[in-house]
Amino acid sequence: MNPESTIAVLPGDGIGPEVVREAKKILQILESRLGWTFRLAEAPVGGAGFEAAGHPLPPESLKTAKEADAVLLGAVGGPKWDKLEFRFRPERALLGLRKEMELFANLRPAKVFPALAGASTLKLEVVEGLDIMVVRELIGGIYFGEPRGVETGPDGKRKGFNTLVYTEPEIERIARIAFETAQKRNNKVTSVDKANVLESTGLWREVVIEVHADYPGVSLDHMYVDNAAMQLVRAPKQFDVIVTTNMFGDILSDEASMLTGSIGMLPSASLGTRHAMYEPIHGSAPDIAGKDIANPLATILSVGMMFKHSFNRGDVNEWIEGAVGAVLDAGYRTGDIMSKGMKRVGTVEMGDRVAAELEPRIQC
Ligand code: IPM
Ligand code: MG
């Protein structure tokens, strides 16, 4: 019987719908060539959710996401909704989806395509051949810790506060993902914390060391986050897998993305035990929305990660990566990765070119 999968498609805001449209082209080609039926269930989230249903994560959209075999998300946010109360901001959709689907592990690979080694702001020899994986804890830490808020004290002065909290089971499960990920790569984990200052990340370090006992084939080292931020631009190739907390992972993965030439290149997978969501790590870039200049490659590569992690088809992921690599080798570039002598293309043409390169790579 031919496989059938339901994919919740959540385009979101800004360039989200544009890059998701290109990713859908990739799904269509795979569908026709592999005889695999993809039921695409589209739903509004973020600012689009707020406009459609008065909430960034309308209950219907959450239901669609939860019922799907996998979720593909574009991006959320925009100046139009920046003044809204916190709970109505587009970003709450993302955080809500992560929390409600228990997507505790966020995999953010930073891989330099050979053709783009010169596109990084760092020297070629520093980034050439780079392939690192940031494993970010996604539903704990300071993003979700209670108490949180802004209060006015008896002196009439306001106080803003958040709580950085990690429990042993939360640290243990993300550490296991990191060690298992490293086993399929180069067997090296660097755990990033601020154990010299923050008790919660002192516990993080202790638990990671305890879990490591189950993975004798993997080497483990530890770095304070300030040093890790520096090492990432000094000598990024020393890393294989970086495992870290929610907020440190947010920051370090943006930093790592620039090693690859552009944040427009980086896909991600957010995994839990029952659900999974795939999205580019870039945001909604409202300033370039609707102009056909956004880079769709991170979203297309996110579809690849979906096949690898949700559908157990690492081969499809390799075809997609191969197609992206071939288009880059042929000199096609969106504005964000443009360099002298290359051929500038828009969002749609980039998607078409990857689709055309993908087709002959598909083996049934
Ligand atoms: C990311 C984003 C989000 C985060 C925002 C939009 C809530 O920066 O996915 O990295 O901080 O996690
Ligand atoms: Mg971020």
Side-chain angles (χ1 to χ4, degrees), residues 94 98 106 108 136 143 246-247 249-254 263 281-283:
L94 208 50
R98 291 170 182 172
N106 187 207
R108 298 187 157 187
R136 169 188 178 193
Y143 270 53
N246 201 344
M247 188 160 76
D250 177 47
I251 299 165
L252 294 180
S253 61
D254 266 32
I263 196 165
I281 86 157
H282 61 69

Side-chain angles (χ1 to χ4, degrees), residues 48-363:
F50 184 77
E51 299 300 328
H55 194 278
L57 183 54
E60 272 303 308
S61 299
L62 177 60
K63 188 164 171 277
T64 302
K66 278 186 156 175
E67 284 172 0
D69 297 306
V71 180
L72 178 66
L73 184 123
V76 296
K80 187 170 172 198
W81 307 286
D82 274 354
K83 298 254 143 48
L84 290 173
E85 233 178 279
F86 233 75
R87 63 198 172 101
F88 290 129
R89 296 245 185 107
E91 291 76 10
R92 300 314 298 177
L94 208 50
L95 300 169
L97 284 160
R98 291 170 182 172
K99 193 73 176 175
E100 293 292 328
M101 295 196 285
E102 289 175 75
L103 308 174
F104 67 89
N106 187 207
L107 308 187
R108 298 187 157 187
K111 205 165 156 174
V112 173
F113 282 89
L116 290 186
S120 173
T121 48
L122 271 74
K123 291 197 190 89
L124 183 89
E125 62 268 26
V126 175
V127 297
E128 203 172 27
L130 180 82
D131 179 0
I132 61 186
M133 177 69 86
V134 178
V135 176
R136 169 188 178 193
E137 198 290 324
L138 202 58
I139 54 172
I142 199 163
Y143 270 53
F144 292 95
E146 298 281 348
R148 61 189 298 157
V150 179
E151 280 172 4
T152 307
D155 58 356
K157 301 281 184 214
R158 285 167 302 164
K159 166 177 93 174
F161 51 98
N162 291 88
T163 304
L164 173 55
V165 50
Y166 270 114
T167 66
E168 209 173 324
E170 285 175 321
I171 303 165
E172 184 183 334
R173 65 183 179 179
I174 194 69
R176 288 198 186 282
I177 298 280
F179 289 121
E180 283 159 22
T181 304
Q183 283 176 329
K184 294 178 210 137
R185 297 170 46 96
N186 295 317
N187 286 307
K188 182 169 184 225
V189 170
T190 304
S191 173
V192 172
D193 59 43
K194 190 73 187 173
N196 51 342
V197 178
L198 305 170
E199 286 83 352
S200 51
T201 73
L203 178 68
W204 176 280
R205 186 176 289 215
E206 272 174 42
V207 175
V208 171
I209 290 171
E210 284 160 20
V211 173
H212 180 224
D214 292 341
Y215 302 87
V218 181
S219 75
L220 170 67
D221 60 4
H222 306 272
M223 245 180 224
Y224 297 138
V225 63
D226 47 352
N227 183 28
M230 192 233 326
Q231 296 298 336
L232 262 176
V233 287
R234 193 189 71 88
K237 283 189 253 181
Q238 68 184 288
F239 297 108
D240 176 24
V241 172
I242 293 176
V243 63
T244 190
T245 63
N246 201 344
M247 188 160 76
F248 294 164
D250 177 47
I251 299 165
L252 294 180
S253 61
D254 266 32
E255 188 186 5
S257 77
M258 281 319 290
L259 307 173
T260 71
S262 166
I263 196 165
M265 291 300 301
L266 255 69
S268 77
S270 303
L271 310 173
T273 37
R274 289 198 306 282
H275 303 284
M277 183 161 82
Y278 301 86
E279 56 176 305
I281 86 157
H282 61 69
S284 58
D287 51 323
I288 62 163
K291 297 184 178 158
D292 190 43
I293 54 177
N295 184 348
L297 294 179
T299 315
I300 290 173
L301 292 167
S302 299
V303 171
M305 291 191 88
M306 177 187 293
F307 278 85
K308 179 169 175 178
H309 294 281
S310 282
F311 304 145
N312 203 15
R313 290 291 300 264
D315 55 341
V316 177
N317 182 41
E318 279 167 26
W319 303 338
I320 293 176
E321 285 188 359
V324 168
V327 171
L328 295 171
D329 287 343
Y332 297 102
R333 303 281 188 275
T334 43
D336 57 318
I337 47 177
M338 185 62 193
S339 58
K340 223 173 134 210
M342 298 295 140
K343 293 165 259 191
R344 187 188 287 264
V345 294
T347 312
V348 174
E349 183 174 347
M350 187 56 114
D352 287 341
R353 293 205 172 267
V354 175
E357 282 290 346
L358 175 64
E359 198 142 22
R361 288 180 162 74
I362 299 173
Q363 287 149 26

